[in-house]
Amino acid sequence: MVDLKGQYAKIKNEVDSAIIEVIENTAFINGPQVKSFQKNLESYLGVKHVIPCANGTDALQIAMMGLGLEQGDEVITADFTFAATVETIGLLKLTPVLVDVEPDTFNIDIDALKKAITSKTKAIIPVHLFGQCSNMEAVMDIAKTHNLFVIEDTAQAIGADYTFSDGTKKKAGTIGTVGTTSFFPSKNLGCYGDGGAIFTNDDALAHTLRGMVNHGMYERYYHDVVGVNSRLDTIQAAVLDIKLPHLDSYCDARRNVASFYNKAFAESDKIITPKTGKCNTDTLCADCNCHVFHQYTLRLKGINRADLQAHLNSKGIANAIYYPVPLHKQKAYTDVRYKEEDFKVTNELVDTVLSLPIHTEFDDEQLAYITQTILDFVK
C-alpha cells in the first residue's frame, strides 16, 4: 500500500547523516533534534505550540487528560474509524458516544452529531478520515453553542488545509481546542518507528501537556501533574525533521495519484470515487488541499468485493479494507445505547469500501496497470 523504500532512497543521505549524528552525540531522549522538529512543525502548521509524544494514541489520551475530562463525561466521535480514537476515551473512563458518518467524505455527520449532544457531553473528536478535513466550520459552531472542547484527530490528515466560508485557511489539527497526530511510518509524514504530537494555541493547556508527556515533570524529580511516559524518540525526531520540508510535495504526489484514479474510474457506474474536497456545507472544491489522501478509498456498487480482492491479489496489486467492522459492533465497544438504524451509512460502508495503493513513488505505468486491472474485472 506504500513504498517506504522508494521514498527513503531519495532522502537516504540526509536521513542517514541525521541518525548518525544522534548516535554520535548519544542524546537519545529529548535531544536537540526534538526541539528543532517541534519548532519547525509549529512554523509549518502556524500553531503556537507543538508537544511531541511517543505515538498518536498517546497524543489523543494526553490531550483529553490535559482538558481535565472526568469519569462519565461524554465524548462524541465517529463510528467509522480506527479504534484508537474510542480506545483512549475508554481508557480514561469517559463515555464514548459513537455517531454515523457522511457517505461521501466518510467524516462525522453533522446532523448526527447535533442529535447526540446531551447535558453530559463535554467534547467532540472529529476524525479527519483518510486525509480529508471534517466539516470543521460546523463542528466549531456546535462546540461554541454548547461550550464543548474539540479534539481534532489528525492522524491521517497532517498537511491538509481547511477553508472556512469566509476564505480563511487553517491547517488540519490547528482549528479545535487541541489537535493530535501520528507519525506511524505509513503516514504522509511518517518516522521510522512510532511517534506522535499534540497541537494547541492555548498557552495554559500547552504547559499542562508538556508536563504530562514527561511524567508530570517540569523540573526533574518534581511532579506537578499526573503524567505518563510519552516522549518522542530523538532519532525519530531527526528523521521527521528531514522529512517535514518534503511533506507538501508528498501530499501533492498523493493527490496526483488520486486524480489519476478518479479519471480512470469516472465512467464506471460500479465505482464511486472519493470526493476531492468539502471545505464547508455548501462548497465543493477540487484543489484547495483539504484532502491529502492518506488513503484512497472507493465505494463499490454491485461488485463482489471479495472476488475483486482475490483478482487484485492474483495480479500482485495491494488492497485493503479500512474498516471491516464498525466500532459500535466491536466487542470492546458494544453498548445497549446504540441502535442499528443510527448507523446506516457506516454499516453500508464497511461492506462496500475498498482502498487502493497510494503513495509518493508511483509512476503512470503502475497506475494504469492497477486501474485497468480493476476496470477489466468490473465490466
Side-chain angles (χ1 to χ4, degrees), residues 93-251:
K93 303 300 182 182
L94 308 173
T95 302
V97 178
L98 299 171
V99 299
D100 211 357
V101 297
E102 299 174 332
D104 49 3
T105 67
F106 311 122
N107 285 325
I108 194 166
D109 182 276
I110 297 303
D111 289 335
L113 168 58
K114 290 177 180 177
K115 292 176 183 176
I117 294 172
T118 73
S119 60
K120 294 182 180 180
T121 306
K122 293 295 186 290
I124 306 166
I125 305 182
V127 181
H128 304 320
L129 199 70
F130 299 151
Q132 180 162 212
C133 292
S134 299
N135 186 349
M136 288 304 298
E137 188 157 14
V139 169
M140 295 307 293
D141 285 345
I142 293 167
K144 183 177 180 180
T145 299
H146 296 277
N147 193 28
L148 305 176
F149 297 119
V150 175
I151 304 157
E152 291 181 73
D153 185 340
T154 318
Q156 298 186 14
I158 191 165
D161 292 332
Y162 182 84
T163 304
F164 289 83
S165 55
D166 64 359
T168 302
K169 288 181 180 287
K170 288 188 177 182
K171 287 291 185 185
T174 69
I175 302 165
T177 317
V178 62
T180 68
T181 201
S182 164
F183 301 124
F184 189 79
S186 63
K187 303 299 187 187
N188 292 29
L189 179 62
C191 55
Y192 293 166
D194 270 320
I198 311 165
F199 325 131
T200 186
N201 287 304
D202 186 317
D203 295 340
L205 177 59
H207 177 73
T208 299
L209 296 172
R210 288 196 197 286
M212 283 184 167
V213 300
N214 191 29
H215 296 291
M217 294 188 295
Y218 302 98
E219 182 180 352
R220 192 165 177 81
Y221 300 126
Y222 290 83
H223 305 270
D224 293 0
V225 295
V226 176
V228 297
N229 178 18
S230 185
R231 297 175 295 239
L232 178 64
D233 178 271
T234 305
I235 287 178
Q236 303 306 334
V239 172
L240 290 165
D241 217 16
I242 295 298
K243 294 181 76 174
L244 179 58
H246 299 278
L247 176 56
D248 286 344
S249 65
Y250 291 163
C251 293

Side-chain angles (χ1 to χ4, degrees), residues 102 135 137-138 162-165 275 277-285:
E102 299 174 332
N135 186 349
E137 188 157 14
Y162 182 84
T163 304
F164 289 83
S165 55
K275 282 194 172 178
K278 188 172 184 180
C279 281
N280 56 62
T281 53
D282 300 314
T283 305
L284 296 179
C285 45

Side-chain angles (χ1 to χ4, degrees), residues 353-371:
V353 293
L354 184 67
S355 295
L356 302 182
I358 188 163
H359 55 74
T360 58
E361 309 307 309
F362 267 126
D363 59 41
D364 285 355
E365 182 179 356
Q366 292 171 313
L367 292 172
Y369 175 72
I370 293 170
T371 53

Side-chain angles (χ1 to χ4, degrees), residues 79-81 321-331 346 350:
D79 185 43
F80 185 64
T81 186
I321 299 171
Y322 305 112
Y323 298 93
V325 182
L327 293 177
H328 79 273
K329 289 185 178 180
Q330 298 282 359
K331 288 183 180 179
T346 296
V350 297

Side-chain angles (χ1 to χ4, degrees), residues 54-71:
N55 56 71
T57 305
D58 278 4
L60 283 165
Q61 179 176 328
I62 295 162
M64 284 184 274
M65 289 170 61
L67 293 173
L69 299 179
E70 299 179 352
Q71 184 171 340

